[in-house]
């Protein structure tokens, strides 16, 4: 069971499923059809590719990490996952609309620049620019899980933007927690993330404030639609996220972050799904 859990978490299979779940959630929130299978195949494959490439080439650091240890021991598995991700992306592209490729190329470039210093005028990958890193990550996740599934169908634009900004806030909170986990390493490397700038206490307060704003947008959506099940799903999602955040104060390992913090994406999608029953 431990080996299976390590594989699901460290291979990016779990977070790939979380990404797919958020796309499905977007369709439910906006009252859209579930979407073509190629959408989910592309999102899952792209997530596998990006995360495994990132950790395959990531430099080792002095701070112990279960994920880093797994990556070192399982290079062949990572190569297979990278290949599998490429195959899923390649197959899915046959069903994409031409307009999607423009945005997807931009996302692919940003994802590459996040891990690798590919531009001659930029000597560091984007992940080493603290404030830019969290904004780009949150925006990329939001575009993939909100714009991508919703763009293929007609939507009410007010509802769309409420879902879009709420998803951005949610992803920003999750990314903020990972920056908090890496605070000592980032500080040692001179990376000025928000936790490095603000300190631990203020960062937790910021996360709480963003969750409150998340609920304000959910309340706004409730007034517009009268959909109480979806509001209750968001309320419970925020409460569970707050609970897991509290647990990170007691535990600081890859499992609580990859299963707990990342897992909030899957939990939120499940709660929204239950709200449709």
């Amino acid at each position: 069971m431990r080996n299976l859990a390590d594989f699901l978490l460290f291979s990016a299979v779990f977070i790939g499923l979380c990404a797919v779940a958020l796309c499905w959630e977007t369709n439910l929130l906006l009252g859209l059809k579930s979407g073509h299978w190629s959408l989910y195949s592309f999102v899952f494959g792209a997530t596998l590719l990006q995360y495994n490439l990132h950790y395959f080439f990531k430099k080792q650091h002095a701070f112990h990490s279960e994920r880093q240890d797994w990556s070192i021991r399982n290079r062949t598995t990572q190569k297979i996952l990278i290949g599998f991700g490429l195959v899923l992306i390649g197959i899915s592209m046959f069903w994409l609309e031409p307009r999607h490729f423009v945005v997807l190329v931009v996302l692919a470039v940003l994802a590459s620049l996040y891990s690798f210093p590919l531009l001659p005028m930029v000597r560091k990958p984007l992940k080493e620019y603290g404030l830019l890193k969290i904004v780009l990550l949150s925006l990329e996740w939001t575009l993939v899980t909100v714009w991508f599934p919703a763009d293929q169908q007609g939507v009410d634009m007010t509802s769309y933007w409420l879902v879009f900004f709420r998803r951005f806030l949610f992803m920003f909170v999750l990314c903020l927690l990972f920056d908090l986990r890496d605070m000592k390493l980032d500080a040692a490397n001179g990376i000025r993330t928000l936790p490095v700038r603000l300190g631990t206490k203020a960062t937790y307060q910021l996360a709480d404030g963003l969750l409150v704003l998340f609920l304000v947008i959910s309340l706004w959506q409730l007034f517009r639609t009268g959909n109480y099940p979806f509001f209750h799903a968001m309320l419970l999602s925020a409460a569970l996220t707050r609970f897991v955040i509290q647990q990170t104060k007691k535990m600081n390992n890859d499992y609580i972050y990859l299963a707990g913090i990342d897992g909030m994406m899957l939990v939120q999608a499940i709660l929204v799904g239950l709200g449709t029953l």
Side-chain angles (χ1 to χ4, degrees):
M1 291 300 294
R2 174 65 178 272
N3 290 337
L4 177 60
D6 285 353
F7 172 77
L8 291 175
L9 294 176
F10 301 151
S11 68
V13 168
F14 180 71
I15 197 169
L17 293 174
C18 290
V20 168
L22 286 181
C23 292
W24 173 66
E25 177 192 327
T26 295
N27 289 323
L28 294 179
L29 291 172
L30 295 175
L32 304 174
K33 297 178 181 179
S34 59
H36 195 270
W37 63 265
S38 60
L39 161 70
Y40 304 106
S41 173
F42 182 91
V43 170
F44 184 74
T47 307
L48 276 186
L49 177 64
Q50 167 61 15
Y51 276 81
N52 280 286
L53 276 176
H54 176 76
Y55 282 96
F56 188 84
F57 292 104
K58 184 177 181 180
K59 295 180 181 179
Q60 298 183 37
H61 52 72
F63 294 88
H64 178 261
S65 165
E66 291 89 355
R67 187 171 200 166
Q68 178 178 277
D69 292 344
W70 185 91
S71 179
I72 294 171
R73 295 194 309 268
N74 294 273
R75 294 303 197 192
T76 301
T77 300
Q78 283 190 310
K79 291 178 183 177
I80 294 172
L81 290 167
I82 290 169
F84 184 56
L86 285 170
V87 169
L88 289 178
I89 291 172
I91 293 173
S92 305
M93 282 187 172
F94 288 102
W95 283 270
L96 297 180
E97 298 291 337
R99 67 181 181 278
H100 295 146
F101 286 96
V102 177
V103 175
L104 291 175
V105 167
V106 173
L107 290 175
V109 170
L110 289 176
S112 300
L113 292 176
Y114 175 81
S115 300
F116 311 107
L118 300 178
L119 295 178
M121 69 291 292
V122 181
R123 298 184 177 181
K124 298 186 294 184
L126 295 182
K127 66 185 179 69
E128 295 188 19
Y129 295 89
L131 296 179
L132 182 61
K133 163 190 173 183
I134 190 170
V135 172
L136 285 178
L137 266 180
S138 304
L139 181 60
E140 188 165 359
W141 269 93
T142 305
L143 287 171
V144 169
T145 63
V146 177
W147 174 83
F148 195 42
D151 180 66
Q152 302 180 60
Q153 307 176 61
V155 296
D156 172 63
M157 291 310 297
T158 301
S159 293
Y160 171 82
W161 284 113
L162 288 174
V163 171
F164 187 95
F165 286 122
R166 184 172 60 191
R167 180 68 51 76
F168 178 83
L169 288 173
F170 185 67
M171 297 310 304
F172 195 97
V173 170
L174 300 189
C175 292
L176 189 62
L177 268 293
F178 277 88
D179 278 352
L180 192 55
R181 180 198 64 174
D182 298 333
M183 181 178 173
K184 291 182 179 179
L185 178 62
D186 288 335
N189 291 325
I191 303 174
R192 302 273 291 167
T193 60
L194 278 174
V196 173
R197 293 169 181 264
L198 301 176
T200 301
K201 182 178 179 181
T203 301
Y204 280 122
Q205 291 173 342
L206 176 60
D208 289 343
L210 293 174
L211 285 176
V212 170
L213 185 55
F214 171 89
L215 290 176
V216 169
I217 295 177
S218 299
L219 193 61
W220 184 358
Q221 187 76 307
L222 172 64
F223 290 150
R224 290 190 72 255
T225 65
N227 194 316
Y228 280 91
F230 284 173
F231 174 75
H232 293 152
M234 293 303 157
L235 182 63
L236 186 53
S237 171
L240 290 173
T241 301
R242 180 68 169 75
F243 172 77
V244 175
I245 288 174
Q246 292 300 107
Q247 302 313 302
T248 64
K249 297 179 180 179
K250 306 172 186 177
M251 298 177 282
N252 186 23
N253 58 58
D254 284 336
Y255 296 103
I256 186 64
Y257 283 92
L258 299 179
I261 297 299
D262 279 345
M264 288 300 99
M265 292 185 272
L266 182 60
V267 167
Q268 185 181 104
I270 291 173
L271 290 173
V272 170
L274 291 174
T276 64
L277 299 179

